[in-house]
Amino acid sequence: MKTIELQPNTNSLEVVGHLKFGRKRRGFIPRGLTFLAVLIILLMLAVIIGNIVIGGIGTISWEFLTHPPEQGMEAGGVFPAIFGTVALVILMVIAVIPIGVFTAIYLQEYTSPKSRITRLIRIAINNLAGVPSIVFGLFGLGFFIAFVGGGLDLLFYPEEGPVWGQPAIIWASLTLALLTLPVVIISTEEALRMIPRELREASYALGGTKLQTIWRIIIPQATPGILTGSILAVSRGAGEVAPIMFTGAAYYLPYLPTKLNDQFMELGYHVYVMATQSPDIEATKPLLYGTVLVLLLLTFSLNSVAILIRSRMRRSRVSAQ
Amino acid sequence: MSAPSNTDSMKVLSVTTAVSDELQPDIKSKMIVENLNFSYGSVQALFDISMKIRRNRVTALIGPSGCGKSTFLRVLNRMNETIPGTSMEGTVLLDGRNIYEDFDDPSAIRTRVGMVFQKSNPFPKSIFDNVAYGLRVNGIKNKQLIHQVVEQSLRQAALWEEVKDKLDNSAFMLSGGQQQRLCIARALAIRPEVILMDEPASALDPISTAKIEDLIGELRKQYTIVIVTHNMQQAARVSDHTGFFYEGRLIEYGPTKQIFTRPARKKTEDYVTGRFG
Amino acid sequence: MEQLIFKPKSRWREFFGEKLISVNAFVALIAILLIFVFIFKEAIPIFVDDYVKEDASLDKMVFKQQYYEGREAKWSWQPNSEVPKFSLWPLFIGTLKASLVAMLFAVPLGVGAAIYCSEFASRRIREIIKPAIEMLAAIPSVVLGFFALMVLATALQNTLGLTFRLNAINAGIALGLAVIPIVFTVAEDAMTSVPHSLRDAATALGANPWQVSLTTVLPAAIPGISAGVVLGFGRAVGETMIVLMASGNAAIVSASFLDSVRTFSATIAAELAEVVFGDTHYHVLFMIGSLLFVFTFLINLGGDIVLTRLKERLQGKAT
């Protein structure tokens, strides 16, 4: 038998043995092209962020962050919009975290992944994540405001004008809670899957019931995942405009929301209003850029924190194995 | 609604002895297993096993991996119920009471039949909280009592001197051998009557293994111990009785000395002399 | 040793705990059903209510209409004019144009970057690319819309010499920026889940890395990449704020991508605030919402099935 010497890393057209190996396609062209795609994406990201930072940095000041808009939004600050955004996402988080965490616990701890009901719930979660945000807005209007709010008014305030059956921060936050529910569920589930079975067994073996095991062992262990999910949900919720434009956000309000059925100003919506409805766009521009920068900083910092927690969680899992 | 507690156990024992000699045929047996069959889904793992586990003795279960010895161990405290899709028939008696029928709440069984696992699995909590966990989930709130029991349990597990100054440290800061002794202390804290050990020393170095074996020697005075091991020397060193499992069946069961020196079955002889497994 | 007295555990607590947890698990399912019910409920009058049908029957929404005596029949969306016109064609064409541009822009970039990331990139470069894409995904769509409206539109107009600042190209590119992360993530995930044994087999036969990619990884990941493209398309069609701000919002029936466009989603966003509750226009907007819901629902369901099957097959779970 003849020995054939293969030289996989040469480009030469040497005759080795009786086999002739041609020049191998080593993928320089695809490598270059796909790298170009990466470069274009990074470049665009840099341009967008750079443009907003450069345009907005000069506007941001203590004044800007703590004062309300003045002179038809051509002066002043964005404090009511920041306040409204924070209030909105706090209410949203209060609604979405228990539901999301319990759903994840139910899926991971109480049912087998193959059961029909689990599959059905999973399909629902995936689809909920894909419903366009404007459809959530329609739903918030049709369900929360007209049906729930209108129903409450009919029951408790039949004589007065609309009390609950009108756009309000509570309806906007509940709409956003549904929109961000998949984020919390998926993130919590990932954390639950990382908890080793041995920990659950140790708790059972000491006489712990399922509920005690969940409450005392599983939820504390899943906290980083729950936190990641919540922060990602907040970041997502803070940036969504379409779902809140009919359910509670206002162009301009002279007061801050203090009750659940108040309307509110919101950063994203404020950007939309200033960018599209301003009579003198050049005069509004610095404030507009400043507002966009505030919104971007808010979502980016939240996301970075979430990514940091998540990568720590994953790493500690790897090192524990 | 009343799940039996440890304090009831002696009463229960005397009642059942008085009422039925059939259920309590011999006072020397802590647990009696009769005609046990067990399946994971459609795969049967245990076939018609009957076995009496002696009170205050160490019973070793040996056999090649996959022979069903760990499954059998987990039947004794209803641990297998936590795995979905399993099924079981047969009786398992603890002091004459059927643990599968006379108790509604499996967690009540597990406070009487404790368990130590193959891989040490401390909770991601402090050393103190690990040992106190079993007390807390079983409704004990008296802080003084908890402190007292935690100390006793750590002493019993021969860990107290090493950890007494760092009870608030994370359990993960202990060495592997210490972690396993912590798990034993944790199991002791709820004062079980029976302790099941699933290859408790398989992941440990020889020195830690020796410590665990010494510990088992101490604990046998107060507890009934069932230990699964793949290490035949260990079985010979620590146990009074040995059961040999093979392919889901209990091939031979008797005094350890007899099993290791003149086994009745050829299969057992082949295994203990190291011809397979 | 003193005796320990264990309290028997409350079975009620266990029972209610489990019920509380399971009730929450059905929220997602109920939410989808409620969305379905409450969006469609408001669209139903289009099929049954005679008053609504007068201006907005199905054929009026689909076929050319002669709105004025003696004038040419046409498709037109002018819900607030004296003769309300509810043709969906201009909106459909607008949606299609914007989404097409978005896909033409996002698919090569998203898939290309995914291929680079999974086949060529060193670990270090991957750890730059992935967070960057996550950052892109984290940019709120209103910010992308703002950027397209203020910066991109001017840049495109100046370089291409366009008549309309805001048009399908401008909206489509901005939309593409929102679609890239989806295409990238799904495609990259599909490629990295191709088992190493497959790669190793090809490598052992002497193939170089790119040949391995071309002959084993890419073919195996094709369903996943397509699913990413389809899911991205779903996002493009449903995305609202970007097109609302960057497309010009003129409901024009034309083949030119340089004209302004008005999409389904932007129409809802722009008009819902002004409609009278229960009016024909109101029901038509919910009808559009129903279309968007059904469309994205089908796309997501399809994408989901493809991805689940792909993973099962690649991980050898399929029977």
Side-chain angles (χ1 to χ4, degrees), chain B residues 51-52 54 57-62 216 220 225-227 229 231-244 252-264 268-269 271-273:
Chain B
M51 190 175 190
K52 290 176 180 175
R54 298 286 167 176
R57 293 285 184 276
V58 177
T59 304
L61 308 179
I62 59 170
I216 293 170
R220 68 193 294 182
I225 295 173
V226 185
I227 177 171
T229 179
N231 177 335
M232 250 120 20
Q233 284 77 22
Q234 189 173 59
R237 280 194 301 265
V238 302
S239 71
D240 306 294
H241 297 271
T242 297
F244 170 59
E252 191 168 353
Y253 178 46
T256 299
K257 216 171 173 184
Q258 185 190 319
I259 296 284
F260 279 91
T261 52
R262 22 185 184 86
T268 317
E269 191 181 340
Y271 184 70
V272 297
T273 52

Short mmCIF file of all heavy atoms in Angstrom, two decimals, chain B residues 51-52 54 57-62 216 220 225-227 229 231-244 252-264 268-269 271-273:
data_model
loop_
_atom_site.label_atom_id
_atom_site.label_comp_id
_atom_site.label_asym_id
_atom_site.label_seq_id
_atom_site.Cartn_x
_atom_site.Cartn_y
_atom_site.Cartn_z
N MET B 51 -37.33 -7.52 51.72
CA MET B 51 -36.12 -7.31 52.50
C MET B 51 -36.50 -6.73 53.85
O MET B 51 -37.41 -5.91 53.96
CB MET B 51 -35.25 -6.30 51.74
CG MET B 51 -33.87 -6.12 52.27
SD MET B 51 -33.00 -5.00 51.15
CE MET B 51 -31.35 -5.16 51.75
N LYS B 52 -35.83 -7.20 54.89
CA LYS B 52 -36.05 -6.62 56.22
C LYS B 52 -34.81 -5.86 56.63
O LYS B 52 -33.70 -6.40 56.56
CB LYS B 52 -36.33 -7.73 57.24
CG LYS B 52 -37.67 -8.39 57.04
CD LYS B 52 -37.84 -9.54 58.02
CE LYS B 52 -39.22 -10.18 57.80
NZ LYS B 52 -39.39 -11.39 58.64
N ARG B 54 -32.67 -4.17 59.47
CA ARG B 54 -32.54 -4.33 60.91
C ARG B 54 -32.42 -3.00 61.63
O ARG B 54 -31.69 -2.10 61.17
CB ARG B 54 -31.30 -5.18 61.23
CG ARG B 54 -31.35 -6.57 60.68
CD ARG B 54 -32.29 -7.40 61.49
NE ARG B 54 -32.57 -8.65 60.78
CZ ARG B 54 -33.33 -9.63 61.30
NH1 ARG B 54 -33.90 -9.46 62.48
NH2 ARG B 54 -33.54 -10.73 60.62
N ARG B 57 -28.78 -1.11 62.89
CA ARG B 57 -27.69 -1.80 62.21
C ARG B 57 -27.37 -1.02 60.93
O ARG B 57 -28.17 -0.21 60.48
CB ARG B 57 -28.10 -3.22 61.81
CG ARG B 57 -28.34 -4.16 62.97
CD ARG B 57 -27.01 -4.61 63.60
NE ARG B 57 -27.23 -5.59 64.64
CZ ARG B 57 -27.54 -5.29 65.91
NH1 ARG B 57 -27.68 -4.02 66.29
NH2 ARG B 57 -27.72 -6.24 66.80
N VAL B 58 -26.21 -1.31 60.39
CA VAL B 58 -25.87 -0.72 59.09
C VAL B 58 -26.08 -1.78 58.02
O VAL B 58 -25.52 -2.88 58.10
CB VAL B 58 -24.41 -0.24 59.06
CG1 VAL B 58 -24.06 0.29 57.68
CG2 VAL B 58 -24.17 0.80 60.13
N THR B 59 -26.92 -1.47 57.07
CA THR B 59 -27.19 -2.38 55.97
C THR B 59 -26.56 -1.81 54.71
O THR B 59 -26.84 -0.65 54.35
CB THR B 59 -28.70 -2.55 55.75
OG1 THR B 59 -29.28 -2.99 56.98
CG2 THR B 59 -28.99 -3.54 54.64
N ALA B 60 -25.70 -2.59 54.08
CA ALA B 60 -25.08 -2.10 52.85
C ALA B 60 -25.78 -2.73 51.65
O ALA B 60 -26.16 -3.90 51.69
CB ALA B 60 -23.60 -2.45 52.84
N LEU B 61 -25.96 -1.93 50.60
CA LEU B 61 -26.50 -2.45 49.35
C LEU B 61 -25.39 -2.36 48.32
O LEU B 61 -24.86 -1.28 48.07
CB LEU B 61 -27.72 -1.63 48.90
CG LEU B 61 -28.83 -1.44 49.94
CD1 LEU B 61 -29.95 -0.58 49.36
CD2 LEU B 61 -29.39 -2.79 50.39
N ILE B 62 -25.04 -3.50 47.74
CA ILE B 62 -23.97 -3.49 46.74
C ILE B 62 -24.48 -4.06 45.42
O ILE B 62 -25.56 -4.64 45.37
CB ILE B 62 -22.73 -4.29 47.21
CG1 ILE B 62 -23.13 -5.74 47.49
CG2 ILE B 62 -22.10 -3.66 48.43
CD1 ILE B 62 -21.95 -6.67 47.72
N ILE B 216 -20.09 6.82 60.37
CA ILE B 216 -21.14 5.81 60.25
C ILE B 216 -21.07 4.84 61.44
O ILE B 216 -22.08 4.48 62.03
CB ILE B 216 -21.02 5.06 58.91
CG1 ILE B 216 -21.31 6.02 57.75
CG2 ILE B 216 -21.98 3.86 58.85
CD1 ILE B 216 -20.99 5.46 56.38
N ARG B 220 -24.38 4.40 64.07
CA ARG B 220 -25.16 3.17 64.14
C ARG B 220 -25.72 2.92 65.53
O ARG B 220 -26.67 2.18 65.69
CB ARG B 220 -24.30 1.99 63.71
CG ARG B 220 -23.19 1.72 64.70
CD ARG B 220 -22.18 0.79 64.18
NE ARG B 220 -22.74 -0.54 63.99
CZ ARG B 220 -22.00 -1.55 63.55
NH1 ARG B 220 -20.73 -1.35 63.25
NH2 ARG B 220 -22.53 -2.73 63.42
N ILE B 225 -29.16 2.51 59.62
CA ILE B 225 -28.51 3.10 58.45
C ILE B 225 -28.57 2.14 57.27
O ILE B 225 -28.32 0.93 57.43
CB ILE B 225 -27.05 3.48 58.76
CG1 ILE B 225 -27.02 4.59 59.82
CG2 ILE B 225 -26.29 3.91 57.51
CD1 ILE B 225 -25.65 4.93 60.34
N VAL B 226 -28.93 2.68 56.11
CA VAL B 226 -28.85 1.89 54.88
C VAL B 226 -27.90 2.63 53.96
O VAL B 226 -28.08 3.82 53.69
CB VAL B 226 -30.22 1.75 54.19
CG1 VAL B 226 -30.11 0.83 52.98
CG2 VAL B 226 -31.27 1.24 55.17
N ILE B 227 -26.86 1.95 53.50
CA ILE B 227 -25.86 2.63 52.68
C ILE B 227 -25.68 1.90 51.36
O ILE B 227 -25.54 0.69 51.32
CB ILE B 227 -24.52 2.77 53.46
CG1 ILE B 227 -23.47 3.42 52.57
CG2 ILE B 227 -24.04 1.43 54.00
CD1 ILE B 227 -22.20 3.79 53.32
N THR B 229 -23.26 1.41 48.23
CA THR B 229 -21.85 1.65 47.93
C THR B 229 -21.41 0.76 46.78
O THR B 229 -21.94 -0.33 46.57
CB THR B 229 -20.96 1.43 49.17
OG1 THR B 229 -19.61 1.65 48.79
CG2 THR B 229 -21.13 0.05 49.74
N ASN B 231 -18.19 0.29 46.62
CA ASN B 231 -16.87 -0.06 47.14
C ASN B 231 -17.03 -1.22 48.12
O ASN B 231 -17.56 -1.08 49.21
CB ASN B 231 -16.31 1.19 47.83
CG ASN B 231 -14.96 0.94 48.48
OD1 ASN B 231 -14.62 -0.20 48.82
ND2 ASN B 231 -14.19 1.99 48.66
N MET B 232 -16.58 -2.38 47.69
CA MET B 232 -16.84 -3.58 48.48
C MET B 232 -16.10 -3.59 49.82
O MET B 232 -16.62 -4.06 50.81
CB MET B 232 -16.48 -4.82 47.69
CG MET B 232 -17.72 -5.56 47.33
SD MET B 232 -18.06 -5.80 45.62
CE MET B 232 -16.62 -5.60 44.74
N GLN B 233 -14.90 -3.02 49.81
CA GLN B 233 -14.17 -2.94 51.08
C GLN B 233 -14.96 -2.09 52.07
O GLN B 233 -15.02 -2.40 53.26
CB GLN B 233 -12.78 -2.32 50.88
CG GLN B 233 -11.76 -3.24 50.25
CD GLN B 233 -11.99 -3.38 48.77
OE1 GLN B 233 -12.60 -2.51 48.15
NE2 GLN B 233 -11.53 -4.46 48.18
N GLN B 234 -15.53 -1.02 51.54
CA GLN B 234 -16.30 -0.15 52.41
C GLN B 234 -17.50 -0.90 53.00
O GLN B 234 -17.75 -0.84 54.20
CB GLN B 234 -16.79 1.07 51.62
CG GLN B 234 -17.42 2.12 52.49
CD GLN B 234 -17.72 3.36 51.69
OE1 GLN B 234 -18.47 3.31 50.71
NE2 GLN B 234 -17.12 4.46 52.07
N ALA B 235 -18.20 -1.63 52.15
CA ALA B 235 -19.34 -2.40 52.63
C ALA B 235 -18.88 -3.36 53.72
O ALA B 235 -19.51 -3.49 54.77
CB ALA B 235 -19.99 -3.15 51.47
N ALA B 236 -17.76 -4.02 53.47
CA ALA B 236 -17.26 -5.00 54.44
C ALA B 236 -16.86 -4.31 55.75
O ALA B 236 -17.08 -4.83 56.83
CB ALA B 236 -16.06 -5.73 53.85
N ARG B 237 -16.28 -3.10 55.65
CA ARG B 237 -15.83 -2.41 56.84
C ARG B 237 -16.98 -1.88 57.69
O ARG B 237 -16.97 -1.99 58.91
CB ARG B 237 -14.94 -1.22 56.45
CG ARG B 237 -13.51 -1.59 56.13
CD ARG B 237 -12.63 -0.34 56.10
NE ARG B 237 -13.08 0.64 55.12
CZ ARG B 237 -12.59 0.73 53.87
NH1 ARG B 237 -11.65 -0.08 53.47
NH2 ARG B 237 -13.04 1.64 53.04
N VAL B 238 -17.98 -1.27 57.04
CA VAL B 238 -18.95 -0.53 57.85
C VAL B 238 -20.24 -1.27 58.16
O VAL B 238 -20.96 -0.90 59.08
CB VAL B 238 -19.32 0.84 57.21
CG1 VAL B 238 -18.09 1.69 57.02
CG2 VAL B 238 -20.09 0.64 55.91
N SER B 239 -20.58 -2.30 57.38
CA SER B 239 -21.95 -2.80 57.50
C SER B 239 -22.05 -4.08 58.33
O SER B 239 -21.09 -4.81 58.51
CB SER B 239 -22.54 -3.04 56.11
OG SER B 239 -21.92 -4.15 55.51
N ASP B 240 -23.28 -4.30 58.84
CA ASP B 240 -23.58 -5.53 59.54
C ASP B 240 -24.25 -6.53 58.60
O ASP B 240 -24.06 -7.72 58.70
CB ASP B 240 -24.53 -5.25 60.70
CG ASP B 240 -23.99 -4.17 61.61
OD1 ASP B 240 -22.95 -4.43 62.24
OD2 ASP B 240 -24.58 -3.06 61.65
N HIS B 241 -25.09 -5.96 57.71
CA HIS B 241 -25.79 -6.80 56.74
C HIS B 241 -25.52 -6.26 55.35
O HIS B 241 -25.34 -5.07 55.17
CB HIS B 241 -27.29 -6.81 57.00
CG HIS B 241 -27.63 -7.39 58.33
ND1 HIS B 241 -27.87 -8.72 58.53
CD2 HIS B 241 -27.75 -6.80 59.55
CE1 HIS B 241 -28.12 -8.93 59.82
NE2 HIS B 241 -28.05 -7.78 60.46
N THR B 242 -25.53 -7.15 54.39
CA THR B 242 -25.30 -6.71 53.02
C THR B 242 -26.31 -7.37 52.10
O THR B 242 -26.62 -8.55 52.24
CB THR B 242 -23.88 -7.09 52.57
OG1 THR B 242 -22.93 -6.39 53.38
CG2 THR B 242 -23.64 -6.72 51.11
N GLY B 243 -26.83 -6.54 51.18
CA GLY B 243 -27.72 -7.08 50.14
C GLY B 243 -27.03 -6.89 48.80
O GLY B 243 -26.51 -5.82 48.52
N PHE B 244 -27.05 -7.94 47.99
CA PHE B 244 -26.43 -7.83 46.67
C PHE B 244 -27.52 -7.73 45.61
O PHE B 244 -28.38 -8.62 45.50
CB PHE B 244 -25.53 -9.05 46.42
CG PHE B 244 -25.04 -9.14 45.00
CD1 PHE B 244 -24.29 -8.11 44.44
CD2 PHE B 244 -25.33 -10.25 44.22
CE1 PHE B 244 -23.84 -8.18 43.14
CE2 PHE B 244 -24.87 -10.33 42.90
CZ PHE B 244 -24.14 -9.30 42.37
N GLU B 252 -28.96 -11.75 46.86
CA GLU B 252 -28.64 -12.38 48.13
C GLU B 252 -28.60 -11.33 49.22
O GLU B 252 -28.18 -10.19 49.00
CB GLU B 252 -27.27 -13.08 48.03
CG GLU B 252 -26.99 -13.98 49.21
CD GLU B 252 -25.79 -14.88 48.98
OE1 GLU B 252 -25.27 -14.89 47.84
OE2 GLU B 252 -25.38 -15.58 49.93
N TYR B 253 -29.04 -11.71 50.41
CA TYR B 253 -29.08 -10.76 51.52
C TYR B 253 -28.77 -11.51 52.80
O TYR B 253 -29.37 -12.55 53.08
CB TYR B 253 -30.46 -10.11 51.58
CG TYR B 253 -30.65 -9.13 52.73
CD1 TYR B 253 -29.69 -8.17 53.03
CD2 TYR B 253 -31.81 -9.17 53.50
CE1 TYR B 253 -29.88 -7.28 54.06
CE2 TYR B 253 -32.01 -8.28 54.53
CZ TYR B 253 -31.05 -7.33 54.82
OH TYR B 253 -31.24 -6.45 55.85
N GLY B 254 -27.82 -11.03 53.56
CA GLY B 254 -27.50 -11.71 54.80
C GLY B 254 -26.45 -10.96 55.57
O GLY B 254 -26.06 -9.85 55.18
N PRO B 255 -25.96 -11.53 56.65
CA PRO B 255 -24.88 -10.88 57.41
C PRO B 255 -23.68 -10.61 56.49
O PRO B 255 -23.34 -11.46 55.66
CB PRO B 255 -24.53 -11.91 58.47
CG PRO B 255 -25.75 -12.75 58.60
CD PRO B 255 -26.40 -12.78 57.27
N THR B 256 -23.08 -9.46 56.67
CA THR B 256 -22.01 -9.04 55.77
C THR B 256 -20.89 -10.09 55.69
O THR B 256 -20.39 -10.41 54.61
CB THR B 256 -21.43 -7.70 56.26
OG1 THR B 256 -22.48 -6.75 56.21
CG2 THR B 256 -20.28 -7.24 55.40
N LYS B 257 -20.54 -10.63 56.84
CA LYS B 257 -19.45 -11.59 56.90
C LYS B 257 -19.73 -12.77 55.98
O LYS B 257 -18.88 -13.20 55.20
CB LYS B 257 -19.30 -12.08 58.34
CG LYS B 257 -17.87 -12.32 58.73
CD LYS B 257 -17.78 -12.58 60.21
CE LYS B 257 -16.38 -12.99 60.59
NZ LYS B 257 -16.33 -13.34 62.02
N GLN B 258 -20.97 -13.21 56.07
CA GLN B 258 -21.35 -14.37 55.28
C GLN B 258 -21.33 -14.06 53.78
O GLN B 258 -20.81 -14.84 52.98
CB GLN B 258 -22.75 -14.81 55.71
CG GLN B 258 -23.22 -16.08 55.05
CD GLN B 258 -24.69 -16.31 55.34
OE1 GLN B 258 -25.15 -16.10 56.45
NE2 GLN B 258 -25.42 -16.74 54.33
N ILE B 259 -21.86 -12.87 53.43
CA ILE B 259 -21.90 -12.50 52.02
C ILE B 259 -20.49 -12.43 51.44
O ILE B 259 -20.24 -12.83 50.31
CB ILE B 259 -22.59 -11.11 51.84
CG1 ILE B 259 -24.06 -11.17 52.27
CG2 ILE B 259 -22.46 -10.61 50.41
CD1 ILE B 259 -24.98 -11.85 51.32
N PHE B 260 -19.57 -11.93 52.26
CA PHE B 260 -18.22 -11.75 51.70
C PHE B 260 -17.34 -13.00 51.83
O PHE B 260 -16.38 -13.14 51.09
CB PHE B 260 -17.53 -10.56 52.38
CG PHE B 260 -17.96 -9.24 51.80
CD1 PHE B 260 -19.03 -8.54 52.34
CD2 PHE B 260 -17.32 -8.73 50.69
CE1 PHE B 260 -19.44 -7.35 51.79
CE2 PHE B 260 -17.74 -7.51 50.14
CZ PHE B 260 -18.80 -6.83 50.68
N THR B 261 -17.68 -13.90 52.75
CA THR B 261 -16.80 -15.06 52.88
C THR B 261 -17.38 -16.33 52.26
O THR B 261 -16.70 -17.07 51.57
CB THR B 261 -16.45 -15.32 54.36
OG1 THR B 261 -17.67 -15.37 55.10
CG2 THR B 261 -15.57 -14.23 54.90
N ARG B 262 -18.65 -16.59 52.52
CA ARG B 262 -19.22 -17.77 51.86
C ARG B 262 -20.62 -17.48 51.32
O ARG B 262 -21.62 -17.90 51.88
CB ARG B 262 -19.27 -18.99 52.79
CG ARG B 262 -19.24 -18.62 54.23
CD ARG B 262 -19.16 -19.72 55.21
NE ARG B 262 -19.24 -19.09 56.52
CZ ARG B 262 -20.39 -18.80 57.14
NH1 ARG B 262 -21.53 -19.11 56.61
NH2 ARG B 262 -20.40 -18.19 58.32
N PRO B 263 -20.65 -16.73 50.23
CA PRO B 263 -21.94 -16.41 49.62
C PRO B 263 -22.63 -17.67 49.12
O PRO B 263 -21.98 -18.63 48.72
CB PRO B 263 -21.57 -15.48 48.47
CG PRO B 263 -20.15 -15.76 48.18
CD PRO B 263 -19.52 -16.20 49.46
N ALA B 264 -23.96 -17.66 49.17
CA ALA B 264 -24.74 -18.82 48.76
C ALA B 264 -24.85 -18.91 47.24
O ALA B 264 -24.99 -19.98 46.68
CB ALA B 264 -26.12 -18.77 49.39
N THR B 268 -23.18 -13.79 43.40
CA THR B 268 -22.66 -12.97 44.47
C THR B 268 -21.16 -13.17 44.62
O THR B 268 -20.38 -12.22 44.74
CB THR B 268 -23.34 -13.33 45.81
OG1 THR B 268 -24.73 -13.50 45.57
CG2 THR B 268 -23.13 -12.26 46.85
N GLU B 269 -20.77 -14.43 44.58
CA GLU B 269 -19.35 -14.74 44.72
C GLU B 269 -18.54 -14.07 43.62
O GLU B 269 -17.50 -13.44 43.87
CB GLU B 269 -19.15 -16.26 44.68
CG GLU B 269 -17.74 -16.66 45.08
CD GLU B 269 -17.54 -18.17 45.01
OE1 GLU B 269 -18.55 -18.90 45.03
OE2 GLU B 269 -16.38 -18.60 44.94
N TYR B 271 -19.25 -11.44 42.02
CA TYR B 271 -19.19 -9.99 42.19
C TYR B 271 -18.25 -9.59 43.32
O TYR B 271 -17.39 -8.73 43.14
CB TYR B 271 -20.59 -9.42 42.45
CG TYR B 271 -20.58 -7.91 42.55
CD1 TYR B 271 -20.35 -7.13 41.41
CD2 TYR B 271 -20.77 -7.26 43.76
CE1 TYR B 271 -20.32 -5.76 41.47
CE2 TYR B 271 -20.73 -5.87 43.84
CZ TYR B 271 -20.51 -5.13 42.68
OH TYR B 271 -20.47 -3.77 42.76
N VAL B 272 -18.40 -10.23 44.49
CA VAL B 272 -17.57 -9.80 45.62
C VAL B 272 -16.09 -10.16 45.43
O VAL B 272 -15.22 -9.53 46.00
CB VAL B 272 -18.07 -10.34 46.99
CG1 VAL B 272 -19.46 -9.80 47.30
CG2 VAL B 272 -18.05 -11.84 47.03
N THR B 273 -15.84 -11.15 44.57
CA THR B 273 -14.43 -11.45 44.32
C THR B 273 -13.89 -10.65 43.15
O THR B 273 -12.75 -10.80 42.76
CB THR B 273 -14.24 -12.95 44.02
OG1 THR B 273 -15.14 -13.32 42.98
CG2 THR B 273 -14.49 -13.79 45.25
#
